[in-house]
Amino acid sequence: MTNTSKEMKFGLFFLNSIPPTKTDAEELNDGLEQIKMADELGYEAAWIAEHNARAYGVVSNTAVYLSAAAAITKNIKLATGVTRLPLHHPLQVAEDMNLVDVISNGRLYLGVGKGYDKLEFDAYNIDFDERHAKYLESLDILKAAIQSERVTYSGQFYNINNIPVYPRPIQKDGPPIFVMVSGNDASMINAAEQGHSFMLGGITNEDTKHKIKLYRESALNSGLSEEYVESAISRSGKLLFCYVAETTEQAQKEYRAGLEWYMSERDNRPTFGVIDRERNVDYDRFLQSENTLVGSPEKVVEDIERFRKETGLNNIILWMNIGGQPQEQVLKSMNLFAEKVMPHFNGAKVEQLNS
């Protein structure tokens, strides 16, 4: 295998699950240790998911967790993956995220979504059926609040009259906004026309390539410059399952328990076509998915090469700690990936850290 010339970016995704083998505090502290190590190893970003009332995701406020991460890191981008806009007042989201941008010295990526879990909405007494319309209003307000010192807005859900927004972010035009996109082309077109970056998940390589082409065409047709569009795409990425061990057999064996617990616990959304009606995981089918990078360093390099060739995307968000994996396994996988996979794509020499 030969080295490729264009550098790829590798981020990490954090859902912070608490299986029966872990306490809330153990998992949350393990996650911060992983983010600190990711910063030292040269990972590009740490993406933190937001949930409530669910054991598979216990970070209910991404701003709080990212502020803790900012205090122990220096270079890694700190990202929300995603903040569910209909569950919060958009001005408060802007204020909280601007504060994280200041604390991190301009390292915030702001990923947003509308939420999909009725239980999470019911827990806060928020109308689940209004989430799409509320999301669109909230996104408009959020964009205005991170880019401008004052906000005026009149809509179905929010009426804001010349309200100042503090603190102001470090990043000149505010933290970049990322929109979560899965199967819906309309979401990609909307993100492109508004100039937002994107996060992809749960789709094929062929559909990924199609959506990137659609994004580029839609953004250029909306009047955005080619330089801006390519910059937005270069920040954007796709979420892939990932775990690395010395051998493929070992990696597949170690990753399985956390995945199966997560899939059985996550009963509120279709789960990537790898479970049956009884919530049993078809693990062999999962391992064959285009969205799975589980194996030896050599296998993972080959899989990433194929992914890049088939999609044209140079940014991957890796989900290593699925289902609250044992900490020593996660740190070892992160080290192996940084030591034996990353250099193939960026030419850097990475020293393994003690875990």
Side-chain angles (χ1 to χ4, degrees):
M1 295 177 289
T2 58
N3 282 342
T4 52
S5 58
K6 191 169 182 179
E7 182 175 339
M8 292 191 73
K9 299 175 183 177
F10 299 102
L12 290 170
F13 178 70
F14 296 83
L15 187 55
N16 299 104
S17 303
I18 48 167
T21 56
K22 275 191 171 183
T23 67
D24 306 52
E26 287 171 342
E27 171 58 27
L28 291 168
N29 286 319
D30 283 352
L32 290 174
E33 183 181 6
Q34 291 163 28
I35 294 171
K36 185 175 186 295
M37 178 176 283
D39 183 47
E40 295 166 349
L41 288 170
Y43 286 88
E44 193 263 343
W47 294 84
I48 310 301
E50 175 188 274
H51 287 283
N52 62 288
R54 292 291 187 183
Y56 63 70
V58 296
V59 174
S60 57
N61 188 316
T62 52
V64 172
Y65 201 65
L66 288 177
S67 294
I72 58 174
T73 57
K74 296 179 180 179
N75 299 305
I76 194 169
K77 299 291 186 181
L78 301 172
T80 62
V82 296
T83 294
R84 305 157 300 166
L85 292 185
L87 291 171
H88 311 286
H89 194 289
L91 278 188
Q92 180 153 20
V93 173
E95 292 162 351
D96 289 348
M97 294 305 165
N98 284 352
L99 185 57
V100 174
D101 198 54
V102 171
I103 293 171
S104 66
N105 195 29
R107 289 187 282 136
L108 179 67
Y109 280 170
L110 182 46
V112 298
K114 60 185 172 184
Y116 59 81
D117 187 351
K118 190 174 186 298
L119 173 65
E120 295 180 358
F121 281 73
D122 289 347
Y124 293 160
N125 292 317
I126 295 175
D127 191 332
F128 181 73
D129 294 329
E130 292 181 341
R131 72 191 188 284
H132 180 68
K134 199 171 185 181
Y135 164 78
L136 294 177
E137 276 196 22
S138 295
L139 183 54
D140 287 342
I141 296 167
L142 176 63
K143 183 177 180 180
I146 64 175
Q147 293 182 350
S148 306
E149 294 184 4
R150 289 178 174 270
V151 174
T152 296
Y153 185 90
S154 179
Q156 177 184 354
F157 303 99
Y158 300 105
N159 287 285
I160 302 167
N161 184 20
N162 196 32
I163 298 298
V165 182
Y166 298 110
R168 301 309 306 151
I170 293 290
Q171 297 182 70
K172 180 181 177 182
D173 296 318
I177 294 175
F178 293 73
V179 175
M180 184 68 195
V181 177
S182 51
N184 194 335
D185 279 359
S187 297
M188 198 65 157
I189 294 171
N190 187 59
E193 291 176 345
Q194 295 191 35
H196 302 319
S197 293
F198 54 86
M199 301 165 56
L200 298 171
I203 60 176
T204 65
N205 287 350
E206 182 179 1
D207 195 24
T208 298
K209 185 175 182 179
H210 159 71
K211 280 186 167 51
I212 295 170
K213 182 174 182 290
L214 182 64
Y215 180 95
R216 183 176 280 110
E217 292 173 350
S218 301
L220 292 173
N221 288 339
S222 72
L224 295 170
S225 70
E226 183 174 352
E227 180 182 9
Y228 181 92
V229 172
E230 294 309 315
S231 175
I233 293 174
S234 72
R235 285 193 298 266
S236 302
K238 184 177 181 182
L239 176 64
L240 300 179
F241 301 96
C242 181
Y243 187 80
V244 185
E246 285 82 357
T247 68
T248 294
E249 181 181 15
Q250 180 185 355
Q252 293 175 351
K253 180 180 179 181
E254 291 179 352
Y255 197 65
R256 183 167 189 161
L259 174 83
E260 290 185 338
W261 176 85
Y262 166 74
M263 291 296 189
S264 67
E265 185 73 16
R266 185 178 180 263
D267 60 357
N268 56 351
R269 198 180 192 191
T271 42
F272 310 101
V274 297
I275 54 174
D276 60 24
R277 292 181 180 179
E278 285 71 42
R279 310 299 300 170
N280 297 313
V281 177
D282 185 342
Y283 193 58
D284 290 336
R285 183 179 176 186
F286 167 80
L287 292 173
Q288 297 302 314
S289 169
E290 292 178 332
N291 294 315
T292 298
L293 308 169
V294 175
S296 66
E298 295 77 16
K299 180 182 184 302
V300 171
V301 165
E302 292 176 357
D303 289 345
I304 293 174
E305 287 280 25
R306 180 169 57 253
F307 168 84
R308 180 162 66 167
K309 181 179 179 181
E310 294 179 359
T311 67
L313 194 61
N314 287 294
N315 194 346
I316 299 177
I317 303 166
L318 308 167
W319 193 354
M320 290 192 186
N321 182 21
I322 192 168
Q325 300 273 354
Q327 181 73 339
E328 64 275 10
Q329 290 183 189
V330 179
L331 298 182
K332 187 175 182 180
S333 176
M334 289 172 57
N335 263 307
L336 277 172
F337 190 95
E339 180 187 17
K340 297 186 176 181
V341 178
M342 279 188 194
H344 178 84
F345 298 97
N346 61 24
K349 294 182 179 179
V350 182
E351 301 248 343
Q352 184 170 5
L353 298 178
N354 293 327
S355 59

